Amino acid sequence: MASVKHVAIIMDGNGRYAQKLGKERTFGHYEGVKNVRDIAIHASEKGVECLTVYAFSTENWKRPAKEVSYLMSLPRIFFSSYLKQLMEKNIRVTMIGRMDNIPEEARTYFERAIAETAGNTGMILNFAMNYGSRDEIVEAARRYAEDFRDGKAGELDEALFSKYLMTAELPDVDLLIRTSGEQRISNFLLYQIAYAELVFSPLNWPEFDDAEFDRCLDEFYKRNRRFGGLNEE
Ligand code: FPP
């Protein structure tokens, strides 16, 4: 049976969670940050090799300035509170996305976390920050074209093209989860999810707990078992 190496999550519904409780949207994001820690630790205990979380998309810049500014403070909130626990769990932090135009403070927290956890050998916790998949694919094509022109790259095939993506070092996504009942991909890992199972959870991200994560894993294995059965016939 296929095992889940790489899980990717579109963490949606922070705003609606806060609204439901009569609070500001930022409260939902704050609760969402805590949940990244909880689900990352749970996923690593379940043997997941890589967990990619969609923390900020290139489209998120369109939100009101106050909310963008709060979202950009989340790396500080997350790493200043939880980096120690990630170290204890042997989790390695990586990121994909365009670092060049995010505020210096957010960038510094990411860079420090990446450097400090670089020697860890457990699960990779990969943040998609200022990430957009079309942008990634176009950039990969541009870089390949340059390398080909300069005689540094040979004929293009799927394996070679993957090496130009921001996820070059990561396995393909096996399971993509989106929370909050929405059923869209929203420009997330379009190339990498070619063969992924898609599982949609009705829970808002701050409510998405270990049991719901396990339910999504069960769904993945149920679907794979069925394909296994067919293959054996
Ligand atoms: C979508 O919910 C969520 C986001 C845009 C932000 C997600 C980010 C985190 C949960 C934390 C990231 C952590 C770090 C360390 C950077 P929404 O606001 O679109 O919810 P809504 O659809 O209910 O309005």
Side-chain angles (χ1 to χ4, degrees):
M1 194 201 307
S3 69
V4 182
K5 283 190 184 159
H6 189 171
V7 178
I9 308 184
I10 302 176
M11 308 179 290
D12 199 4
N14 290 349
R16 274 164 285 164
Y17 172 75
Q19 241 166 358
K20 212 166 65 175
L21 300 176
K23 305 206 183 213
E24 297 243 355
R25 293 177 56 80
T26 48
F27 174 78
H29 295 315
Y30 182 74
E31 291 299 305
V33 165
K34 282 198 270 182
N35 211 31
V36 173
R37 186 254 340 241
D38 293 348
I39 295 298
I41 290 176
H42 182 64
S44 80
E45 284 167 356
K46 281 275 169 179
V48 170
E49 289 176 23
C50 176
L51 177 71
T52 297
V53 290
Y54 208 178
F56 191 91
S57 77
T58 45
E59 285 74 30
N60 285 151
W61 292 109
K62 293 182 204 140
R63 294 191 178 201
K66 196 171 143 242
E67 184 165 344
V68 169
S69 152
Y70 189 76
L71 288 169
M72 286 300 163
S73 74
L74 298 181
R76 170 177 53 74
I77 295 173
F78 182 82
F79 291 116
S80 60
S81 310
Y82 306 134
L83 186 56
K84 198 161 161 268
Q85 287 173 52
L86 300 183
M87 287 300 290
E88 280 163 16
K89 295 286 174 185
N90 197 22
I91 291 173
R92 178 153 72 96
V93 175
T94 59
M95 63 138 319
I96 54 173
R98 285 193 184 262
M99 270 300 191
D100 42 7
N101 59 338
I102 70 167
E104 198 183 332
E105 182 196 72
R107 200 169 56 233
T108 305
Y109 273 96
F110 268 113
E111 283 168 357
R112 260 195 239 147
I114 291 167
E116 272 190 49
T117 62
N120 290 353
T121 53
M123 190 187 78
I124 293 172
L125 174 58
N126 181 40
F127 286 87
M129 186 79 194
N130 195 18
Y131 172 85
S133 188
R134 285 187 173 180
D135 172 60
E136 175 193 32
I137 291 169
V138 170
E139 177 64 15
R142 203 186 54 72
R143 284 183 36 239
Y144 168 75
E146 268 176 20
D147 281 357
F148 185 78
R149 183 197 60 201
D150 298 344
K152 291 185 199 152
E155 285 299 317
L156 191 58
D157 60 18
E158 290 183 11
L160 179 59
F161 191 68
S162 308
K163 295 291 166 210
Y164 283 88
L165 296 171
M166 293 165 176
T167 50
E169 307 302 323
L170 306 176
D172 263 358
V173 174
D174 303 297
L175 168 63
L176 173 72
I177 300 169
R178 183 170 190 145
T179 64
S180 88
E182 304 290 343
Q183 303 193 353
R184 289 187 300 281
I185 304 299
S186 300
N187 202 16
F188 191 42
L189 302 172
L190 299 177
Y191 194 89
Q192 298 86 340
I193 61 167
Y195 297 103
E197 295 292 343
L198 311 184
V199 176
F200 300 101
S201 165
L203 301 183
N204 291 317
W205 172 247
E207 302 164 315
F208 183 92
D209 56 9
D210 293 357
E212 185 69 353
F213 185 85
D214 292 348
R215 194 193 67 75
C216 296
L217 280 187
D218 286 349
E219 179 69 34
F220 173 88
Y221 283 118
K222 213 161 63 191
R223 293 183 200 174
N224 272 277
R225 263 199 297 273
R226 207 166 51 230
F227 289 127
L230 284 176
N231 289 341
E232 280 153 26
E233 274 168 16

